[in-house]
Amino acid sequence: MEVVVGMKKEKMEFDETELRLGIGSTKASEEVVRKRGFSETENHDDDDDENTTMDLMLNLSSKEASGEVDPNDKIKNLQKEKTLLPDPAKPPTKTQVVGWPPVRSYRKNMLAMQKSSTNFGDESEKNNAISFVKVSMDGAPYLRKVDLKMYKSYSQLSDSLGKMFSSFTIGNCESQGMKDFMNESKLMDLLNNSDYVPTYEDKDGDWMLVGDVPWEMFVESCKRLRIMKGKEAIGIAPRAMEKCKNRR
Amino acid sequence: MKNRNATKPRNYPLSELQSHNPDHVLEIVLETVLQFLTSRRDRNAASLVCKSWWRTDALTRSELFISNCYAISPRRVVSRFSRILSVTIKGKPRLADFDMLPADWGAHFSQWLTAFSTAYPWLEKVHLKRMSVTDDDLSLLGDSFAAFKELVLVSCEGFGTPGLAAVATKCRLLRVLDLEESLVDINVSDYSGIVDWISCFPEGETHLESLVFDSVFSPINLEALEKLVARSPSLKRLRVNGHVKIFHLYRLMHIAPHLTDLGTGSFDVPEDTEDDELVFESPFAASKSLVCLSGFRDILPEYLPDIYPVCGNLTFLDFQYADIIDTDQIKSVVSRCHKLQTLWVRDAIFDEGLQVVAQTCKDLRELRVYHLHASDGVEAPVSEVGLEAISRGCRKLQYIMFFCQRMTNAAVVALSRNCPNLVVFRLCIIGRYMPDALTQPPMDEGVGAIVMNCKKLTRLDVSGFLTDRAFSYIGKYGKLIRTLSVNFAGDTDLGLKNVLQGCTNLQKLEIRDGPFGDGALCCGLQHFYNMRFLWMSSCKVTRQACQAIAQTLPHLVLEVINTAQDPVDDVELLYMYRSLDKPRDDAPKLVTVLH
């Protein structure tokens, strides 16, 4: 009995220290094979260079160990093993065997590459034009960011901002916006009536009312957005009108 | 008379028909009728009737299905079939996915392509599984087939972005480009050789309906991708890779609001994002057409609620790569998926998550519970409890794949009773030789119940502590089983004997780490020609026996991997398949091909 148990235990330890890897052959293919992740298994503690050599013997050795034990004995041993309470530091489920548990090497590689690929990813992303602008609202505790290229018109932007900051109105800022701003009294009405008004800082560093230029021009020139209280925005209006006149 | 002529696909004036001899008329009729036979099994049966039926089938068959690329030579195929428009070829055996074959094992597409490029200039579709495909192959493909429409590469390797660029450039009528689980560019370490293949698609409107590149590791030109999507009005399926972050994804969704199948890429934000809260308006709310969702490679849990609005429409959800999210988050999603039919998820769903699935997803047909890596410290995230809950809630289940650390016979028996429509049962108990977790006997009764009660079962994948009894059940009741995988199970040769003699429809048999030896193997001699292949690794089969079988059955190829010198020693791997041609000459050194 003891001998059998002893053998079993020996086998376990043997299993734990040996890293079973893929089937390989010469050095040349070994190089290729390593890159291909043929030999990679995850989650083993004893990960060192030696373990990445393709050694057929390893696969054989597990068989040798089990080959010495007659199948019936093997089962009896395992039943004994159950009552023996395996060493918690080395649970039997973690012994390394080729292809077991069956997690496809594709999936293992995907996980490994996911972690490392983000570095390369950032390089290319900087080259892509993304016009993010910061949006701040007076009184709100933190900034937001919007991607202006997601929208095609002021009303879409308005809807979106409206969802983000639910208590303001952008007013009527469509293509007629230009005309409206020319009418000073109408503008004053607008600003007096709404709680908040969106303004933006353009390329020149000037603060403008949102809506005074055609949408495409707005997207090009807008650097950041600020949703101001209507009363404060009144001061901007004359400047906005002047600028419009100049552009004309 | 005139009416009859008008309905024939080919217009034969009556006078012509009358002038031909009856046999020729019969052939014309046959050709017409055979055109309606699309299933390859039906066509195979028809072709066996007599020579003229064989000939007619050969002239009219348009879809070619080669389940083992070494079972027949390309030359023989092209000489029989002359009008092929679509080809499907499978290469390496399934267990190659688990690193159990050497990297240079074979299954090269090149020799097939060479034959097709001259024989089938009007080829439209190529589907390959577990084949080795090179960039040169892809370039030749683009050059050879002017009407090419569909390229699907599943678990293939050997090519990179140059190959993709060739396809994009040359295949102007391309509708489908699907790279599923194909490790593209895995060898590349510094991305300097990457080709911007997305920019290679032709200008103007494309015919693209499906673009799947979630397994391409290299970065892509995001701006070019947006433009491509914008000029692909037929695009319904788009699965992007992990370099596409959330805001890009959302832009793509805005551009293509009619997508039915979306792979979300990373579902993450780039690392240089500031701490300011990022708010993107989720396009999921507006999507009425999305029914398939996958991706989530790097998922940022804060964005998970963005997908809630589409959950109610989803029929397919692949969450297997969503690494960071926890049970509650998974539950928050599945509890909204009332129409779900297919769910692929990690065992991080826990039993309680499976209970939510059982309560919500009454239409579920397929469930796969994957195991990525051992969760440290977590004993058994999913177990018999979860399985039983699923069986009670999801009565329409047809396919189940379940990774777990513990299981009981009772739960498996319950599954067999509650879900009698099961076609595929795959149980992977991670600890080897694990018995019933509660009562300790072998898992025989569970397996027995499955084969007895699930009368439509065609695929069975077993593990755990199983004795000869389990195999006698399989042999006795598993009459429809075509695929059987046995992992670390079995007692004596009797087990394998029962299977080989009892499972009359067995096509594919995989046994790893079993006690079966020469005696059992030889019981299958009458069946091996009916099977697609037999895989036995780490069993007790000797080289001697393999040699003997090879000599007895001339159309059987036995590929053996064996380092032992003595032929009486056990071989590491035996991969055996039928073949109508001479054995292959492209096997690596390690593999000995016996015939």
Side-chain angles (χ1 to χ4, degrees):
Chain A
M1 285 295 216
E2 270 162 43
V3 171
V4 158
V5 163
M7 257 164 67
K8 188 75 205 91
K9 233 183 164 173
E10 203 184 81
K11 179 196 169 204
M12 255 181 66
E13 279 162 34
F14 189 69
D15 286 356
E16 260 105 51
T17 52
E18 283 294 342
L19 187 63
R20 280 162 194 76
L21 296 164
I23 300 162
S25 57
T26 59
K27 278 284 175 191
S29 68
E30 188 187 328
E31 256 315 302
V32 172
V33 161
R34 189 178 300 144
K35 273 192 187 165
R36 299 222 64 105
F38 175 61
S39 61
E40 278 155 38
T41 55
E42 280 198 329
N43 284 326
H44 42 256
D45 312 32
D46 32 38
D47 194 4
D48 55 302
D49 278 336
E50 220 176 64
N51 292 330
T52 56
T53 55
M54 314 307 113
D55 193 342
L56 252 184
M57 299 307 287
L58 295 173
N59 213 357
L60 244 188
S61 56
S62 78
K63 266 189 31 48
E64 268 171 25
S66 59
E68 281 156 27
V69 184
D70 172 47
N72 287 321
D73 278 351
K74 192 202 292 177
I75 290 155
K76 287 188 199 138
N77 292 344
L78 285 156
Q79 286 172 332
K80 279 207 176 21
E81 194 181 48
K82 280 233 72 75
T83 56
L84 259 184
L85 275 185
D87 183 351
K90 298 177 189 173
T93 51
K94 285 192 178 164
T95 51
Q96 315 299 334
V97 179
V98 182
W100 191 265
V103 177
R104 289 161 116 188
S105 63
Y106 166 77
R107 302 177 81 240
K108 286 184 210 161
N109 280 305
M110 280 306 297
L111 286 178
M113 291 301 271
Q114 255 164 242
K115 312 301 175 194
S116 59
S117 70
T118 42
N119 298 330
F120 294 112
D122 289 342
E123 286 299 317
S124 67
E125 269 146 29
K126 284 182 176 107
N127 298 331
N128 287 293
I130 302 161
S131 39
F132 264 119
V133 295
K134 293 188 185 183
V135 184
S136 62
M137 178 159 121
D138 290 357
Y142 37 66
L143 293 180
R144 310 278 170 129
K145 274 189 188 173
V146 285
D147 174 11
L148 288 181
K149 291 207 170 150
M150 290 267 268
Y151 310 104
K152 295 201 182 91
S153 69
Y154 283 116
S155 59
Q156 282 187 3
L157 176 63
S158 162
D159 285 339
S160 179
L161 290 178
K163 282 180 203 152
M164 283 186 222
F165 306 100
S166 43
S167 58
F168 81 99
T169 50
I170 198 171
N172 184 359
C173 290
E174 287 291 358
S175 47
Q176 289 129 3
M178 222 160 149
K179 286 192 198 148
D180 280 349
F181 287 126
M182 290 299 104
N183 184 336
E184 203 172 314
S185 57
K186 210 170 177 186
L187 182 59
M188 291 304 152
D189 281 335
L190 188 70
L191 293 176
N192 279 321
N193 289 334
S194 48
D195 294 322
Y196 291 94
V197 165
T199 62
Y200 71 101
E201 183 182 5
D202 71 0
K203 278 188 197 154
D204 306 331
D206 295 325
W207 283 93
M208 318 284 285
L209 283 172
V210 169
D212 60 346
V213 296
W215 173 256
E216 291 77 14
M217 210 185 291
F218 168 68
V219 174
E220 293 301 314
S221 57
C222 174
K223 284 280 156 280
R224 68 179 281 167
L225 276 162
R226 180 176 161 201
I227 301 171
M228 284 187 189
K229 290 212 162 58
K231 305 235 160 38
E232 283 180 33
I234 289 173
I236 296 179
R239 224 187 316 147
M241 284 191 336
E242 237 184 70
K243 220 165 176 178
C244 286
K245 281 182 194 148
N246 291 341
R247 284 208 192 95
R248 277 248 192 105
Chain B
M1 276 300 184
K2 271 196 182 151
N3 283 340
R4 231 191 289 161
N5 288 344
T7 55
K8 282 199 177 44
R10 300 201 306 189
N11 246 338
Y12 288 99
L14 183 59
S15 53
E16 197 189 310
L17 275 177
Q18 284 174 333
S19 66
H20 283 102
N21 62 56
D23 283 339
H24 192 51
V25 171
L26 207 58
E27 255 183 44
I28 294 167
V29 169
L30 189 60
E31 207 175 296
T32 314
V33 168
L34 277 190
Q35 278 174 31
F36 293 102
L37 275 187
T38 45
S39 144
R40 66 176 188 270
R41 292 202 176 98
D42 289 344
R43 278 203 164 249
N44 290 347
S47 70
L48 292 173
V49 169
C50 64
K51 206 68 179 163
S52 82
W53 283 49
W54 181 92
R55 203 168 37 235
T56 312
D57 167 59
L59 286 173
T60 59
R61 197 187 287 225
S62 62
E63 286 175 21
L64 194 61
F65 179 84
I66 297 166
S67 59
N68 176 0
C69 64
Y70 289 120
I72 193 160
S73 69
R75 183 197 48 80
R76 199 163 156 154
V77 166
V78 303
S79 64
R80 175 173 169 182
F81 298 106
S82 48
R83 301 214 190 125
I84 298 294
L85 298 177
S86 156
V87 167
T88 302
I89 310 179
K90 294 189 178 181
K92 299 183 198 179
R94 186 185 73 99
L95 288 169
D97 287 348
F98 306 108
D99 292 340
M100 294 182 80
L101 282 180
D104 54 345
W105 184 85
H108 301 291
F109 181 48
S110 307
Q111 48 168 348
W112 291 95
L113 183 58
T114 313
F116 294 156
S117 61
T118 42
Y120 305 138
W122 299 114
L123 195 64
E124 293 177 359
K125 301 184 190 177
V126 168
H127 289 220
L128 303 177
K129 187 165 186 179
R130 292 193 197 99
M131 299 275 300
S132 179
V133 182
T134 64
D135 290 330
D136 288 339
D137 289 337
L138 293 176
S139 181
L140 179 59
L141 186 138
D143 288 332
S144 309
F145 310 120
F148 198 74
K149 294 194 174 95
E150 221 173 277
L151 181 64
V152 176
L153 301 175
V154 180
S155 292
C156 294
E157 35 82 26
F159 63 99
T161 49
L164 297 179
V167 171
T169 313
K170 300 180 185 192
C171 304
R172 313 226 122 208
L173 297 177
L174 198 67
R175 286 198 207 141
V176 172
L177 179 59
D178 284 358
L179 309 166
E180 291 181 34
E181 303 213 345
S182 294
L183 293 167
V184 183
D185 278 336
I186 187 164
N187 284 340
V188 174
S189 53
D190 64 359
Y191 294 152
S192 57
I194 297 301
V195 175
D196 179 8
W197 58 281
I198 294 278
S199 298
C200 292
F201 282 94
E203 290 296 319
E205 239 178 51
T206 74
H207 301 267
L208 280 177
E209 293 169 12
S210 172
L211 181 60
V212 172
F213 62 94
D214 47 5
S215 57
V216 173
F217 283 109
S218 44
I220 51 155
N221 183 334
L222 292 157
E223 206 179 307
L225 178 62
E226 271 182 43
K227 290 186 185 152
L228 177 64
V229 171
R231 66 180 194 277
S232 303
S234 310
L235 197 66
K236 289 277 174 285
R237 182 158 116 130
L238 177 65
R239 296 191 183 184
V240 299
N241 70 7
H243 287 281
V244 178
K245 310 292 179 190
I246 288 192
F247 44 80
H248 282 293
L249 178 76
Y250 283 7
R251 289 242 284 265
L252 291 168
M253 290 175 71
H254 271 286
I255 297 170
H258 301 295
L259 288 176
T260 58
D261 185 324
L262 179 69
T264 66
S266 73
F267 216 65
D268 189 4
V269 295
E271 286 180 359
D272 60 353
T273 306
E274 288 169 28
D275 283 340
D276 304 2
E277 197 175 79
L278 282 153
V279 177
F280 310 105
E281 199 183 325
S282 158
F284 286 99
S287 168
K288 302 276 176 288
S289 54
L290 211 55
V291 289
C292 298
L293 201 53
S294 60
F296 305 105
R297 305 270 162 153
D298 282 320
I299 185 171
L300 207 58
E302 290 91 315
Y303 287 95
L304 200 54
D306 278 7
I307 73 168
Y308 290 166
V310 289
C311 288
N313 287 337
L314 291 181
T315 56
F316 173 90
L317 177 62
D318 178 2
F319 243 11
Q320 62 174 301
Y321 292 105
D323 214 3
I324 310 168
I325 58 177
D326 61 21
T327 318
D328 287 330
Q329 287 160 334
I330 303 179
K331 275 157 65 176
S332 73
V333 170
V334 297
S335 58
R336 293 173 153 85
C337 299
H338 305 275
K339 293 192 190 167
L340 209 59
Q341 293 183 15
T342 303
L343 175 63
W344 297 359
V345 76
R346 281 174 50 237
D347 55 9
I349 194 175
F350 279 70
D351 283 332
E352 45 174 297
L354 290 176
Q355 274 157 350
V356 172
V357 173
Q359 282 157 11
T360 320
C361 311
K362 294 300 181 190
D363 239 356
L364 202 68
R365 313 290 156 112
E366 179 173 327
L367 174 65
R368 299 192 196 195
V369 180
Y370 283 97
H371 170 81
L372 271 180
H373 40 255
S375 341
D376 296 325
V378 180
E379 243 311 293
V382 295
S383 70
E384 68 272 11
V385 173
L387 188 67
E388 207 159 350
I390 289 287
S391 76
R392 276 183 269 113
C394 307
R395 299 294 175 115
K396 297 186 190 174
L397 209 60
Q398 292 170 359
Y399 187 122
I400 182 151
M401 191 197 84
F402 204 81
F403 269 81
C404 57
Q405 277 155 7
R406 50 173 285 152
M407 189 45 60
T408 61
N409 282 307
V412 178
V413 171
L415 179 71
S416 74
R417 292 211 180 110
N418 293 332
C419 305
N421 292 321
L422 270 186
V423 174
V424 174
F425 176 76
R426 300 170 66 186
L427 180 63
C428 176
I429 306 178
I430 295 168
R432 292 164 282 147
Y433 313 111
M434 294 293 272
D436 185 313
L438 279 181
T439 55
Q440 303 305 311
M443 291 297 293
D444 295 341
E445 296 310 311
V447 169
I450 290 286
V451 288
M452 265 190 265
N453 299 335
C454 302
K455 304 206 192 316
K456 302 180 192 174
L457 199 75
T458 57
R459 180 172 178 185
L460 186 59
D461 198 331
V462 294
S463 58
F465 180 25
L466 298 171
T467 68
D468 283 346
R469 201 185 169 102
F471 295 97
S472 72
Y473 286 140
I474 295 173
K476 186 171 175 190
Y477 297 104
K479 296 303 179 190
L480 291 182
I481 293 178
R482 291 206 298 264
T483 309
L484 177 64
S485 306
V486 179
N487 305 286
F488 297 95
D491 225 348
T492 71
D493 277 357
L494 195 58
L496 182 55
K497 271 188 200 173
N498 281 329
V499 165
L500 286 173
Q501 286 166 351
C503 297
T504 41
N505 273 307
L506 195 60
Q507 294 280 298
K508 303 183 257 188
L509 179 56
E510 298 166 344
I511 305 175
R512 64 158 301 170
D513 294 83
F516 312 115
D518 298 343
L521 192 60
C522 295
C523 285
L525 284 174
Q526 304 97 295
H527 305 280
F528 292 150
Y529 277 161
N530 295 329
M531 287 172 61
R532 207 188 277 183
F533 71 80
L534 168 73
W535 167 295
M536 285 179 78
S537 61
S538 302
C539 295
K540 293 191 176 310
V541 172
T542 66
R543 197 193 166 106
Q544 251 176 222
C546 293
Q547 200 89 54
I549 294 176
Q551 278 160 2
T552 315
L553 297 173
H555 288 300
L556 214 57
V557 175
L558 283 86
E559 296 194 9
V560 159
I561 291 182
N562 183 26
T563 48
Q565 296 306 314
D566 199 333
V568 190
D569 281 346
D570 302 338
V571 302
E572 277 93 55
L573 170 62
L574 165 64
Y575 176 56
M576 180 173 85
Y577 53 88
R578 61 189 171 189
S579 172
L580 288 176
D581 279 293
K582 63 174 173 48
R584 66 184 179 122
D585 53 6
D586 60 359
K589 262 202 228 164
L590 257 185
V591 176
T592 315
V593 181
L594 303 170
H595 56 280

